[in-house]
Amino acid sequence: MSNITRRRALGVAAAGAAGAAAGLALAGSSVADAPRPAAPAAGPAPFDEVYQGRRITGGPAHGGGHHGGHHGGGYSVTIDGAELHVMQNADGTWISVINHYEPVATPKALARAAVRELQGAPLVPLTLT
Amino acid sequence: MTVRKNQATLSADEKRRFVNALLELKRSGRYDTFVTTHNAFIMSDTDNGDRVGHRSPSFLPWHRRFLIEFEQALQSVDPTVNLPYWDWTADRTSRSSLWAPDFLGGTGRARDGQVLDGPFARSGNRWTITVRVDGRDYLRRDLGAGGRQLPTRAEVDSVLAMETYDTAPWNSSSDGFRNHLEGWRGVNLHNRVHVWVGGQMGTGVSPNDPVFWLHHAFVDKLWADWQARHPRSTYLPAAGTANVVDLRDTMRPWNDVTPADMLDHTRHYTFDTAA
């Protein structure tokens, strides 16, 4: 395990997440020019705000690239542009790599909890050496 | 023979040897490989996908094997060292001897959560946090932040009373002993302790705090206690379950050990009190 990359660590469950991603990617958007979901919204709404001086965003992950291995069901969260690894639990609650053992109701609450926990520190890509 | 003792009963010499072995594993780089492994599983174990280390039946045997491997690494430094356990139902405040400067050090300061005393304080230059998810390279804690409470003995007993090891869908939404001990459901035991400690213990890189091992050694003991209370109950599921480690499936990352191999802890160690 000593030389794994973050992507490889994430890639294990990428196939499992992909199915859920398809369902969530269209859902919950409130952006005017975004396509409206045909089915009732199944995912959390996007957000983009400044919280305690830091920009937090959340929304459907773009296909492919480094988002391919996400476990947020295709949902991506950033803090000052850096990606926060998030995961959705079976009951719909959310956790992140910063607050891993304390589920919260929404990705926005999760991003805010991470900002409080970070106390101004930058989020960095994992240094898996 | 390895005997795992309650941390509260360790002698000054036992504490010193345990701390020195931790510092040597850290110095040599071996310690951080355990942090890396744990975080890789934390991030890849998902409720609807492949899951091995967490949120699944193999949470308990996976961590048992992980702790045995870590304990063997400690013993390669000092053969007299065994993993102690932290009974957080008994030693439940930040004034416990666990958090004294001669052992793990105390809580973090208000400004940045930094632990300032004990062998793992950043200022000692022997415990730099290198496997990390943010820019901070010092050990942090916030013991009992916001008035949080550790689980009580009565809450532990209510979980030990559950007869069924685990239930479908074998994840964070399951009923049964495993998920209540892990804490995704019900009174919340294991997860709540991570949150109570705070700092790195609340993150995916939680083994950065040495208390990780003492916490999990007690969770592991509770599994043994549960087995003693329910001799007719066993690990589930038995076979043929997608994405989940069945009784005789091998577990990553070792690929040569199954939950069945991990059921009897006495092949590897005993506890200071009969389970």
Side-chain angles (χ1 to χ4, degrees), chain B:
Chain B
M1 183 62 191
T2 296
V3 179
R4 294 190 180 171
K5 298 179 182 177
N6 187 321
Q7 61 79 25
T9 70
L10 296 186
S11 69
D13 187 56
E14 285 170 325
K15 290 180 186 181
R16 186 181 57 77
R17 286 175 173 273
F18 178 65
V19 165
N20 286 344
L22 285 168
L23 293 172
E24 173 54 22
L25 288 185
K26 181 70 171 175
R27 188 203 61 77
S28 70
R30 293 174 72 188
Y31 191 94
D32 286 343
T33 66
F34 287 90
V35 186
T36 300
T37 296
H38 185 266
N39 190 59
F41 278 83
I42 274 275
M43 294 203 307
S44 68
D45 295 322
T46 59
D47 276 338
N48 298 310
D50 204 23
R51 48 196 184 275
V52 180
H54 305 85
R55 57 182 67 238
S56 60
S58 46
F59 168 70
L60 291 170
W62 189 91
H63 281 84
R64 177 165 285 177
R65 181 64 186 81
F66 191 55
L67 262 63
I68 289 170
E69 187 175 20
F70 184 73
E71 189 171 52
Q72 289 171 344
L74 289 172
Q75 291 171 343
S76 74
V77 175
D78 182 342
T80 71
V81 170
N82 307 325
L83 273 187
Y85 61 86
W86 169 32
D87 178 351
W88 22 256
T89 72
D91 294 301
R92 46 187 299 107
T93 76
S94 59
R95 296 176 299 281
S96 164
S97 61
L98 173 66
W99 308 111
D102 69 338
F103 202 15
L104 300 190
T107 194
R109 66 179 167 191
R111 174 160 64 81
D112 59 3
Q114 184 170 173
V115 171
L116 295 177
D117 67 346
F120 310 103
R122 180 68 182 84
S123 56
N125 218 27
R126 293 188 295 182
W127 204 261
T128 308
I129 305 299
T130 53
V131 183
R132 59 187 194 245
V133 292
D134 60 62
R136 295 168 290 184
D137 69 354
Y138 47 86
L139 181 64
R140 293 178 295 111
R141 292 185 188 129
D142 198 358
L143 303 180
R148 288 191 174 93
Q149 299 294 311
L150 289 164
T152 65
R153 187 66 227 182
E155 287 171 330
V156 164
D157 286 340
S158 74
V159 172
L160 290 178
M162 297 176 177
E163 283 191 23
T164 305
Y165 177 77
D166 206 348
T167 66
W170 321 108
N171 63 19
S172 74
S173 66
S174 289
D175 200 354
F177 169 70
R178 186 277 308 169
N179 196 38
H180 281 81
L181 174 56
E182 190 170 359
W184 299 111
R185 190 165 164 172
V187 296
N188 186 353
L189 302 181
H190 153 268
N191 281 355
R192 197 195 329 175
V193 177
H194 276 275
V195 175
W196 186 89
V197 174
Q200 281 89 3
M201 265 292 274
T203 74
V205 291
S206 48
N208 273 309
D209 191 327
V211 81
F212 174 91
W213 309 103
L214 285 76
H215 171 36
H216 271 279
F218 185 60
V219 170
D220 182 79
K221 182 176 185 296
L222 292 178
W223 184 23
D225 292 344
W226 176 85
Q227 290 174 305
R229 288 197 197 192
H230 304 282
R232 284 185 292 279
S233 299
T234 191
Y235 182 94
L236 293 171
T241 317
N243 294 327
V244 170
V245 180
D246 295 314
L247 179 63
R248 291 184 175 80
D249 292 345
T250 57
M251 294 185 288
R252 291 183 289 113
W254 309 285
N255 298 321
D256 62 354
V257 61
T258 70
D261 297 329
M262 287 289 107
L263 298 183
D264 180 11
H265 70 279
T266 65
R267 293 165 57 188
H268 308 279
Y269 51 86
T270 59
F271 293 103
D272 53 356
T273 58

Side-chain angles (χ1 to χ4, degrees), chain A residues 47-58 77-82 111 115:
Chain A
F47 61 91
D48 185 341
E49 68 175 27
V50 175
Y51 178 75
Q52 294 190 357
R54 305 185 71 170
R55 186 179 179 201
I56 56 174
T57 72
V77 174
T78 68
I79 297 176
D80 291 338
V115 166

